[in-house]
Amino acid sequence: MDNVEYKIYIDDVIRRVEKARLKVSEYHIVKIVAVSKYSTAQDIEKLYQIGQRAFGENKVQDLKTKAVELEELPLEWHFIGNLQKNKINNLLDINPTLFHALDSLELAHELQKKLETRDMTLDALLQINSAKEESKHGFMPEIAKEAYEEIKKECPNINLKGVMSIGAHTEDKDIIKKSFETTYEIYKQLDGATICSMGMSGDFELAIECGSNMVRLGSIMFNK
Ligand SMILES: *Cc1c(COP(=O)(O)O)cnc(C)c1O
C-alpha cells in the first residue's frame, strides 16, 4: 500500500475505535498503541508519517533494536510482553513510556531494586489474568487489588497507573466480555488508576465498550 491507501486504511480503524468509545461517552478517550512485533522499522515509520506515535513490543530485544533504529523519531515505546528478570536492565536502558505487564510481586521487587540503583522511575500497569487461564501471566482477580496496593507501598520507584489484561482466549463473546468486565471492575476500585489497557485486533470494540481506554492493536494496524 502507498501512504494514501494506508491512511485510508488506518482511518477505518480509527473510525471503529471512535464508534465504540462514543457508545460509552463522548468524554471517553481511547489511546491506540500500535503493536509492531510482527513489523519492521520501515512499517513503523510509515505509521508514524500518518500520525501514530505510540508503539508496543513484547520482546525486550526487539524493542531495543527498533527503538535504536528509530531514535530520531519522537516515538513513545510501550513494553507489553512478559518481562524476565534477566532482561530488566535492557528494558530500563530504553526508558519505556509504559510497562504493561507487571505480573508478580517478585518482579516488582526486582524492578524496584534496579530502578533505585539507577535513580529512575517506571510507569507500569498491573497485569490481570482475568479469565484465569493457565497459559497467561498476571495476577488472579481476587488478589489483584491487594497486590496493587502492596506494590504501591513497597516499590516507590514504580508508578502504578492502572491495569492490563488480555481478553479470554475463546470464540465465545460472552466469556470475552466477562473477562473485560472483571478487569474493569478491579480498575475502578484502584486508587488513582487512570489506564485500563485491554483490547487487541480481534476484540478491541468490545473491550472499549467494557471501559478500556487503551487498546493494543497489532495485526489490524499493520495490515498483517
Ligand atoms: C501481540 C499482542 C497484541 C496485539 O495483538 P493483535 O491481535 O495483533 O492486535 C496485544 N497485546 C499483547 C500483550 C500482545 O502480545
Side-chain angles (χ1 to χ4, degrees):
M1 285 198 285
D2 64 25
N3 266 5
V4 176
E5 281 176 310
Y6 204 45
K7 175 128 192 4
I8 292 168
Y9 172 80
I10 291 298
D11 280 351
D12 189 58
V13 177
I14 293 170
R15 216 170 337 226
R16 286 174 62 186
V17 169
E18 273 296 293
K19 198 169 162 199
R21 77 161 187 95
L22 287 170
K23 279 191 196 168
V24 180
S25 147
E26 69 177 293
Y27 303 108
H28 186 68
I29 304 300
V30 175
K31 174 159 179 158
I32 298 174
V33 176
V35 176
S36 47
K37 66 186 181 197
Y38 303 125
S39 305
T40 62
Q42 285 74 17
D43 295 330
I44 294 171
E45 198 163 353
K46 237 169 136 173
L47 253 189
Y48 165 78
Q49 279 163 3
I50 57 174
Q52 181 67 29
R53 291 293 176 271
F55 293 88
E57 288 285 335
N58 70 339
K59 295 210 172 70
V60 174
Q61 190 49 53
D62 293 347
L63 174 59
K64 201 164 184 168
T65 307
K66 289 173 191 170
V68 168
E69 200 168 341
L70 296 164
E71 67 188 343
E72 301 294 311
L73 303 181
L75 304 180
E76 198 180 277
W77 287 106
H78 293 240
F79 187 65
I80 62 172
N82 173 245
L83 178 61
Q84 289 162 304
K85 279 194 280 173
N86 60 354
K87 302 279 166 63
I88 292 176
N89 277 321
N90 287 332
L91 180 69
L92 297 184
D93 284 344
I94 302 149
N95 192 14
T97 298
L98 185 63
F99 169 41
H100 289 232
L102 185 50
D103 60 2
S104 75
L105 292 175
E106 199 188 347
L107 177 63
H109 285 116
E110 206 61 38
L111 263 172
Q112 171 60 28
K113 264 196 261 170
K114 301 259 156 76
L115 287 164
E116 226 172 276
T117 310
R118 291 169 176 244
D119 193 23
M120 67 185 272
T121 59
L122 178 70
D123 287 0
L125 304 177
L126 196 79
Q127 182 172 357
I128 299 174
N129 187 353
S130 52
K132 303 188 176 183
E133 289 162 319
E134 247 175 60
S135 59
K136 282 194 189 128
H137 294 274
F139 289 91
M140 286 298 154
E142 295 79 12
I143 60 162
K145 185 169 189 278
E146 194 185 329
Y148 193 92
E149 282 158 8
E150 189 170 335
I151 294 168
K152 278 220 135 169
K153 202 162 67 202
E154 294 173 7
C155 306
N157 295 54
I158 299 175
N159 294 327
L160 276 180
K161 297 272 179 186
V163 298
M164 181 278 246
S165 185
I166 297 172
H169 185 70
T170 165
E171 297 289 303
D172 189 330
K173 243 184 131 168
D174 289 335
I175 296 176
I176 301 172
K177 187 165 183 235
K178 203 156 192 318
S179 70
F180 288 146
E181 286 169 347
T182 299
T183 305
Y184 186 70
E185 278 309 310
I186 296 164
Y187 166 68
K188 273 199 314 191
Q189 294 171 34
L190 302 174
D191 222 20
T194 56
I195 299 173
C196 180
S197 166
M198 51 186 198
M200 308 180 11
S201 293
D203 56 21
F204 67 94
E205 285 144 312
L206 185 58
I208 293 168
E209 285 165 36
C210 293
S212 164
N213 59 13
M214 187 174 278
V215 290
R216 309 175 307 270
L217 305 181
S219 36
I220 202 176
M221 287 297 273
F222 290 95
N223 197 21
K224 298 254 151 126

